[in-house]
Amino acid sequence: MLELLVLLLCGSIIVSGILAVRLRSLMAAMVSAGLASLFAAVSYVLLAAPDVAMTEASIGSGLSTLTFLYALRRTGVRE
């Protein structure tokens, strides 16, 4: 059961990554990239690596996504 859940999360990471590359909207692409990082953090928890999961969630999913969204807002990029 655990293996199936990890495989489902890995598939979600791949789908979110592809969406981040293919989406036209920069805001939606950034959210999709953040979701890929969040899925990775959850898979790290399932694979018994909580320290790596906390780092991925805080930096990969949280800080990086917020920094990019703030930069998009400050530069005034319109689509």
Coordinates of all heavy atoms in Angstrom, one line a residue:
M1 N 0.8 -1.2 0.0 CA 0.0 0.0 0.0 C 0.9 1.3 0.0 O 0.6 2.2 -0.7 CB -0.9 0.0 1.2 CG -1.9 1.1 1.3 SD -3.0 1.0 0.0 CE -4.0 2.5 0.3
L2 N 1.9 1.2 0.8 CA 2.8 2.4 0.9 C 3.5 2.6 -0.5 O 3.6 3.8 -0.9 CB 3.9 2.2 2.0 CG 4.9 3.3 2.1 CD1 4.2 4.6 2.6 CD2 6.0 2.9 3.1
E3 N 3.9 1.5 -1.1 CA 4.5 1.7 -2.5 C 3.6 2.3 -3.5 O 4.0 3.1 -4.3 CB 5.0 0.3 -3.0 CG 6.1 -0.3 -2.2 CD 5.6 -1.1 -1.0 OE1 4.4 -1.4 -0.9 OE2 6.4 -1.4 -0.1
L4 N 2.4 1.9 -3.4 CA 1.4 2.5 -4.3 C 1.2 4.0 -4.1 O 1.1 4.8 -5.0 CB 0.0 1.8 -4.2 CG -1.1 2.2 -5.1 CD1 -0.7 2.0 -6.6 CD2 -2.4 1.5 -4.8
L5 N 1.1 4.4 -2.8 CA 1.0 5.8 -2.5 C 2.2 6.6 -2.9 O 2.1 7.7 -3.4 CB 0.7 5.9 -1.0 CG 0.3 7.3 -0.5 CD1 -1.0 7.8 -1.2 CD2 0.0 7.2 1.0
V6 N 3.4 6.1 -2.7 CA 4.6 6.7 -3.2 C 4.6 6.9 -4.7 O 5.0 7.9 -5.2 CB 5.9 6.0 -2.6 CG1 7.1 6.6 -3.3 CG2 5.9 6.1 -1.1
L7 N 4.2 5.8 -5.4 CA 4.2 5.9 -6.9 C 3.1 6.9 -7.3 O 3.4 7.7 -8.3 CB 3.8 4.5 -7.5 CG 5.0 3.5 -7.5 CD1 4.5 2.2 -8.0 CD2 6.1 4.0 -8.3
L8 N 2.0 7.0 -6.6 CA 1.0 8.0 -7.0 C 1.6 9.5 -6.7 O 1.4 10.3 -7.6 CB -0.2 7.8 -6.1 CG -1.4 8.8 -6.4 CD1 -2.0 8.6 -7.8 CD2 -2.5 8.5 -5.3
L9 N 2.3 9.6 -5.7 CA 2.9 10.9 -5.4 C 4.0 11.3 -6.4 O 4.1 12.4 -6.9 CB 3.5 11.0 -4.0 CG 2.5 11.2 -2.9 CD1 3.1 10.9 -1.5 CD2 1.9 12.6 -2.9
C10 N 4.8 10.3 -6.8 CA 5.8 10.5 -7.9 C 5.1 10.9 -9.2 O 5.6 11.8 -9.9 CB 6.7 9.3 -8.0 SG 7.8 9.0 -6.6
G11 N 4.0 10.3 -9.5 CA 3.3 10.6 -10.7 C 2.8 12.1 -10.6 O 2.8 12.8 -11.6
S12 N 2.3 12.4 -9.4 CA 1.8 13.8 -9.2 C 2.9 14.8 -9.4 O 2.7 15.9 -9.9 CB 1.2 13.9 -7.8 OG 0.1 13.1 -7.7
I13 N 4.1 14.5 -8.9 CA 5.3 15.4 -9.1 C 5.6 15.6 -10.6 O 5.8 16.7 -11.0 CB 6.5 14.8 -8.4 CG1 6.3 14.8 -6.8 CG2 7.8 15.6 -8.7 CD1 7.4 14.0 -6.1
I14 N 5.5 14.5 -11.3 CA 5.8 14.6 -12.8 C 4.8 15.4 -13.5 O 5.1 16.3 -14.3 CB 5.9 13.2 -13.4 CG1 7.2 12.5 -12.8 CG2 5.9 13.2 -14.9 CD1 7.3 11.0 -13.2
V15 N 3.5 15.2 -13.1 CA 2.4 15.9 -13.8 C 2.5 17.4 -13.4 O 2.4 18.3 -14.3 CB 1.0 15.4 -13.4 CG1 -0.1 16.3 -13.8 CG2 0.8 14.0 -14.0
S16 N 2.8 17.7 -12.1 CA 2.9 19.1 -11.7 C 4.1 19.8 -12.4 O 4.0 21.0 -12.8 CB 3.1 19.2 -10.2 OG 2.0 18.8 -9.6
G17 N 5.2 19.1 -12.6 CA 6.4 19.6 -13.3 C 6.1 19.9 -14.7 O 6.5 20.9 -15.3
I18 N 5.4 19.0 -15.4 CA 5.0 19.2 -16.8 C 4.1 20.4 -16.9 O 4.2 21.2 -17.8 CB 4.4 17.9 -17.4 CG1 5.5 16.9 -17.5 CG2 3.8 18.2 -18.7 CD1 5.0 15.5 -17.9
L19 N 3.1 20.5 -16.0 CA 2.2 21.6 -16.0 C 3.0 23.0 -15.8 O 2.6 24.0 -16.4 CB 1.1 21.5 -15.0 CG 0.0 20.6 -15.3 CD1 -1.0 20.5 -14.1 CD2 -0.8 21.1 -16.5
A20 N 4.0 22.9 -14.9 CA 4.7 24.2 -14.6 C 5.5 24.6 -15.9 O 5.6 25.8 -16.1 CB 5.7 23.9 -13.5
V21 N 5.9 23.7 -16.7 CA 6.6 24.1 -17.9 C 5.6 24.5 -19.1 O 5.9 25.4 -19.8 CB 7.5 22.9 -18.4 CG1 8.1 23.1 -19.8 CG2 8.6 22.6 -17.4
R22 N 4.4 23.8 -19.1 CA 3.5 24.0 -20.2 C 2.5 25.1 -20.1 O 2.0 25.6 -21.1 CB 2.8 22.7 -20.5 CG 3.6 21.5 -20.8 CD 4.2 21.6 -22.2 NE 3.2 21.5 -23.1 CZ 3.4 21.6 -24.4 NH1 4.6 21.7 -24.9 NH2 2.4 21.5 -25.3
L23 N 2.2 25.6 -18.8 CA 1.2 26.6 -18.6 C 1.7 27.9 -19.1 O 2.8 28.3 -19.0 CB 0.9 26.7 -17.1 CG 0.1 25.5 -16.6 CD1 -0.1 25.7 -15.1 CD2 -1.3 25.5 -17.2
R24 N 0.7 28.7 -19.7 CA 1.0 30.0 -20.2 C 1.1 31.1 -19.1 O 1.8 32.0 -19.2 CB 0.0 30.4 -21.3 CG 0.0 29.5 -22.5 CD 0.7 30.3 -23.6 NE 0.6 29.5 -24.8 CZ 1.6 29.2 -25.5 NH1 2.8 29.5 -25.1 NH2 1.5 28.4 -26.6
S25 N 0.2 30.9 -18.1 CA 0.2 31.9 -17.0 C 1.3 31.6 -16.1 O 1.6 30.5 -15.6 CB -1.2 31.7 -16.3 OG -1.1 32.4 -15.1
L26 N 2.1 32.7 -15.8 CA 3.2 32.6 -14.9 C 2.8 32.3 -13.5 O 3.5 31.5 -12.8 CB 4.1 33.9 -15.0 CG 4.8 34.1 -16.3 CD1 5.5 35.5 -16.2 CD2 5.8 33.1 -16.5
M27 N 1.7 32.9 -13.1 CA 1.2 32.6 -11.7 C 0.8 31.2 -11.5 O 1.2 30.5 -10.6 CB 0.0 33.5 -11.4 CG -0.5 33.4 -10.0 SD 0.5 34.4 -8.9 CE 0.1 36.0 -9.4
A28 N 0.1 30.6 -12.5 CA -0.3 29.2 -12.4 C 0.9 28.3 -12.5 O 1.0 27.2 -11.8 CB -1.3 28.9 -13.6
A29 N 1.9 28.6 -13.3 CA 3.1 27.8 -13.4 C 3.9 27.8 -12.1 O 4.4 26.8 -11.7 CB 4.0 28.3 -14.5
M30 N 3.9 28.9 -11.4 CA 4.6 29.0 -10.1 C 3.9 28.2 -9.1 O 4.5 27.5 -8.3 CB 4.8 30.4 -9.6 CG 5.8 31.2 -10.4 SD 7.4 30.3 -10.5 CE 7.7 29.9 -8.8
V31 N 2.6 28.2 -9.1 CA 1.8 27.4 -8.1 C 2.0 25.9 -8.4 O 2.1 25.1 -7.5 CB 0.3 27.8 -8.2 CG1 -0.6 26.9 -7.4 CG2 0.1 29.3 -7.6
S32 N 2.0 25.6 -9.7 CA 2.2 24.2 -10.0 C 3.6 23.7 -9.6 O 3.8 22.6 -9.2 CB 2.0 24.0 -11.6 OG 2.3 22.7 -11.9
A33 N 4.6 24.5 -9.8 CA 6.0 24.2 -9.3 C 6.0 24.0 -7.8 O 6.7 23.1 -7.2 CB 7.0 25.2 -9.8
G34 N 5.3 24.9 -7.1 CA 5.2 24.7 -5.6 C 4.5 23.5 -5.2 O 4.9 22.8 -4.2
L35 N 3.5 23.1 -6.0 CA 2.8 21.8 -5.7 C 3.7 20.6 -5.9 O 3.6 19.6 -5.2 CB 1.5 21.7 -6.6 CG 0.3 22.4 -6.1 CD1 -0.8 22.2 -7.1 CD2 -0.1 21.8 -4.8
A36 N 4.5 20.7 -6.9 CA 5.5 19.6 -7.2 C 6.4 19.4 -6.0 O 6.7 18.3 -5.5 CB 6.3 19.8 -8.5
S37 N 6.9 20.5 -5.4 CA 7.7 20.5 -4.3 C 7.0 20.0 -3.0 O 7.5 19.3 -2.2 CB 8.3 21.9 -4.0 OG 9.2 21.9 -3.0
L38 N 5.7 20.4 -2.9 CA 4.9 19.9 -1.8 C 4.7 18.4 -1.9 O 4.8 17.7 -0.9 CB 3.6 20.6 -1.7 CG 2.7 20.4 -0.5 CD1 3.4 20.9 0.7 CD2 1.4 21.1 -0.7
F39 N 4.4 17.9 -3.1 CA 4.3 16.4 -3.3 C 5.6 15.7 -2.9 O 5.5 14.6 -2.4 CB 3.8 16.1 -4.7 CG 2.4 16.5 -5.0 CD1 2.1 17.0 -6.3 CD2 1.4 16.4 -4.1 CE1 0.8 17.4 -6.6 CE2 0.1 16.7 -4.4 CZ -0.2 17.2 -5.7
A40 N 6.7 16.3 -3.3 CA 8.0 15.7 -2.9 C 8.2 15.6 -1.4 O 8.7 14.6 -0.9 CB 9.1 16.5 -3.6
A41 N 7.8 16.7 -0.7 CA 7.9 16.7 0.7 C 7.0 15.6 1.4 O 7.5 14.9 2.3 CB 7.5 18.1 1.3
V42 N 5.8 15.4 0.9 CA 5.0 14.4 1.4 C 5.6 13.0 1.1 O 5.5 12.1 2.0 CB 3.5 14.5 0.8 CG1 2.7 13.3 1.2 CG2 2.9 15.8 1.3
S43 N 6.1 12.8 -0.1 CA 6.7 11.5 -0.4 C 8.0 11.3 0.5 O 8.2 10.1 0.9 CB 7.1 11.4 -1.8 OG 8.1 12.3 -2.2
Y44 N 8.7 12.3 0.9 CA 9.8 12.1 1.8 C 9.3 11.7 3.2 O 10.0 10.9 3.8 CB 10.7 13.4 1.9 CG 11.4 13.8 0.7 CD1 11.6 15.1 0.3 CD2 12.0 12.8 -0.1 CE1 12.3 15.4 -0.8 CE2 12.8 13.1 -1.2 CZ 12.9 14.5 -1.6 OH 13.6 14.8 -2.7
V45 N 8.2 12.2 3.6 CA 7.7 11.8 4.9 C 7.3 10.3 4.9 O 7.6 9.6 5.8 CB 6.4 12.7 5.3 CG1 5.7 12.1 6.4 CG2 6.8 14.1 5.6
L46 N 6.7 9.9 3.8 CA 6.3 8.5 3.6 C 7.5 7.6 3.6 O 7.4 6.4 3.9 CB 5.4 8.3 2.4 CG 4.0 8.9 2.5 CD1 3.3 8.8 1.2 CD2 3.2 8.4 3.6
L47 N 8.6 8.1 3.0 CA 9.8 7.3 2.9 C 10.7 7.4 4.2 O 11.9 7.0 4.1 CB 10.6 7.7 1.7 CG 9.9 7.4 0.4 CD1 10.6 8.0 -0.8 CD2 9.7 5.9 0.2
A48 N 10.1 7.9 5.3 CA 10.8 8.0 6.6 C 12.0 8.9 6.6 O 13.1 8.6 7.1 CB 11.2 6.6 7.1
A49 N 11.9 10.1 5.9 CA 13.0 11.1 5.9 C 12.4 12.4 6.4 O 12.2 13.3 5.5 CB 13.6 11.2 4.6
P50 N 12.0 12.5 7.6 CA 11.3 13.8 8.0 C 12.1 15.0 8.0 O 11.6 16.1 7.7 CB 10.8 13.5 9.5 CG 11.8 12.4 9.9 CD 12.1 11.6 8.7
D51 N 13.4 14.9 8.2 CA 14.3 16.1 8.1 C 14.4 16.7 6.7 O 14.3 17.9 6.5 CB 15.6 15.8 8.7 CG 16.3 14.6 8.1 OD1 15.6 13.8 7.5 OD2 17.5 14.4 8.2
V52 N 14.5 15.8 5.8 CA 14.5 16.2 4.4 C 13.1 16.8 4.0 O 13.0 17.7 3.2 CB 14.9 15.0 3.4 CG1 14.9 15.4 2.0 CG2 16.2 14.5 3.8
A53 N 12.0 16.2 4.5 CA 10.7 16.6 4.2 C 10.5 18.0 4.7 O 9.9 18.9 4.0 CB 9.7 15.7 4.7
M54 N 10.9 18.3 5.9 CA 10.7 19.6 6.5 C 11.5 20.7 5.7 O 11.0 21.8 5.4 CB 11.2 19.7 8.0 CG 10.2 19.0 8.9 SD 10.5 19.2 10.6 CE 12.2 18.7 10.8
T55 N 12.7 20.3 5.3 CA 13.5 21.2 4.5 C 12.9 21.5 3.1 O 12.8 22.7 2.7 CB 14.9 20.7 4.3 OG1 15.5 20.4 5.5 CG2 15.8 21.6 3.5
E56 N 12.4 20.5 2.5 CA 11.7 20.6 1.2 C 10.5 21.4 1.3 O 10.2 22.3 0.5 CB 11.4 19.2 0.6 CG 10.8 19.3 -0.7 CD 11.7 19.8 -1.8 OE1 12.9 19.6 -1.8 OE2 11.1 20.3 -2.8
A57 N 9.7 21.2 2.3 CA 8.4 21.9 2.5 C 8.7 23.4 2.8 O 8.0 24.3 2.2 CB 7.6 21.3 3.6
S58 N 9.7 23.7 3.6 CA 9.9 25.1 4.0 C 10.6 25.9 2.9 O 10.2 27.0 2.6 CB 10.7 25.2 5.3 OG 12.0 24.6 5.2
I59 N 11.6 25.3 2.3 CA 12.4 26.0 1.3 C 11.8 25.8 -0.1 O 11.6 26.8 -0.8 CB 13.9 25.7 1.4 CG1 14.5 26.1 2.7 CG2 14.7 26.3 0.2 CD1 15.9 25.7 3.0
G60 N 11.7 24.6 -0.5 CA 11.2 24.3 -1.8 C 9.8 24.8 -2.1 O 9.5 25.4 -3.1
S61 N 8.9 24.4 -1.2 CA 7.5 24.7 -1.5 C 7.1 26.1 -0.9 O 6.3 26.8 -1.6 CB 6.6 23.6 -0.8 OG 5.3 23.9 -1.0
G62 N 7.7 26.5 0.2 CA 7.3 27.7 0.8 C 8.1 28.9 0.3 O 7.5 29.8 -0.4
L63 N 9.3 29.0 0.7 CA 10.1 30.2 0.4 C 10.4 30.5 -1.0 O 10.2 31.6 -1.5 CB 11.5 30.0 1.2 CG 12.4 31.2 1.1 CD1 11.7 32.4 1.9 CD2 13.7 30.9 1.8
S64 N 10.7 29.4 -1.8 CA 10.9 29.7 -3.3 C 9.7 30.1 -4.0 O 9.7 31.1 -4.8 CB 11.4 28.4 -3.9 OG 12.6 28.0 -3.4
T65 N 8.5 29.5 -3.7 CA 7.3 29.9 -4.3 C 6.9 31.3 -4.0 O 6.6 32.1 -4.8 CB 6.2 28.9 -4.0 OG1 6.6 27.6 -4.3 CG2 4.9 29.3 -4.7
L66 N 7.0 31.7 -2.7 CA 6.7 33.0 -2.3 C 7.6 34.1 -2.9 O 7.2 35.1 -3.2 CB 6.7 33.1 -0.8 CG 5.5 32.4 0.0 CD1 5.7 32.5 1.5 CD2 4.2 33.0 -0.5
T67 N 8.9 33.7 -3.0 CA 9.9 34.6 -3.6 C 9.6 34.9 -5.0 O 9.6 36.1 -5.5 CB 11.3 34.1 -3.4 OG1 11.6 33.9 -2.0 CG2 12.3 35.0 -4.0
F68 N 9.3 33.9 -5.8 CA 8.9 34.0 -7.2 C 7.6 34.8 -7.4 O 7.5 35.6 -8.2 CB 8.9 32.7 -7.9 CG 10.2 32.1 -8.2 CD1 10.6 30.9 -7.8 CD2 11.1 32.8 -9.0 CE1 11.8 30.3 -8.1 CE2 12.4 32.3 -9.3 CZ 12.7 31.1 -8.8
L69 N 6.6 34.5 -6.6 CA 5.4 35.2 -6.7 C 5.5 36.7 -6.3 O 4.9 37.5 -6.9 CB 4.3 34.5 -5.8 CG 3.8 33.1 -6.3 CD1 2.8 32.6 -5.3 CD2 3.2 33.2 -7.6
Y70 N 6.3 37.0 -5.3 CA 6.6 38.3 -4.9 C 7.3 39.1 -6.1 O 7.0 40.2 -6.4 CB 7.4 38.4 -3.7 CG 7.8 39.8 -3.2 CD1 6.9 40.6 -2.7 CD2 9.1 40.2 -3.4 CE1 7.2 41.9 -2.3 CE2 9.5 41.5 -3.0 CZ 8.5 42.3 -2.4 OH 8.9 43.6 -2.0
A71 N 8.3 38.4 -6.7 CA 9.0 39.0 -7.8 C 8.1 39.3 -9.0 O 8.2 40.3 -9.7 CB 10.2 38.1 -8.3
L72 N 7.2 38.4 -9.3 CA 6.2 38.6 -10.4 C 5.3 39.8 -10.0 O 5.0 40.6 -10.9 CB 5.3 37.4 -10.6 CG 5.9 36.2 -11.3 CD1 5.0 35.0 -11.3 CD2 6.3 36.6 -12.7
R73 N 4.9 39.9 -8.8 CA 4.0 41.0 -8.4 C 4.8 42.3 -8.5 O 4.3 43.3 -8.9 CB 3.5 40.8 -7.0 CG 2.6 41.8 -6.5 CD 1.9 41.4 -5.2 NE 1.2 42.5 -4.7 CZ 1.5 43.2 -3.6 NH1 2.6 42.8 -2.9 NH2 0.8 44.2 -3.1
R74 N 6.1 42.4 -8.0 CA 6.8 43.6 -8.0 C 7.2 44.1 -9.4 O 7.3 45.3 -9.7 CB 8.1 43.4 -7.2 CG 7.9 43.3 -5.7 CD 7.5 44.5 -5.1 NE 8.6 45.5 -5.3 CZ 8.7 46.7 -4.8 NH1 7.7 47.1 -4.1 NH2 9.7 47.5 -5.0
T75 N 7.5 43.1 -10.3 CA 7.9 43.5 -11.7 C 6.7 43.9 -12.6 O 6.9 44.5 -13.6 CB 8.7 42.4 -12.4 OG1 7.9 41.2 -12.4 CG2 10.0 42.1 -11.7
G76 N 5.5 43.6 -12.1 CA 4.3 44.0 -12.9 C 4.2 43.2 -14.2 O 3.7 43.8 -15.1
V77 N 4.6 42.0 -14.2 CA 4.5 41.2 -15.4 C 3.0 40.9 -15.7 O 2.3 40.4 -14.9 CB 5.3 39.9 -15.3 CG1 5.0 39.0 -16.5 CG2 6.7 40.1 -15.1
R78 N 2.5 41.4 -16.9 CA 1.2 41.1 -17.2 C 1.1 40.2 -18.4 O 2.0 40.2 -19.3 CB 0.5 42.4 -17.6 CG 0.4 43.5 -16.5 CD -0.5 43.0 -15.4 NE -0.5 44.0 -14.3 CZ -0.3 43.7 -13.1 NH1 0.0 42.4 -12.7 NH2 -0.2 44.6 -12.2
E79 N 0.1 39.3 -18.4 CA 0.0 38.3 -19.5 C -1.1 38.7 -20.5 O -2.0 39.3 -20.2 CB -0.2 37.0 -18.9 CG 1.0 36.6 -17.9 CD 0.6 35.5 -17.0 OE1 -0.2 34.7 -17.4 OE2 1.1 35.5 -15.9

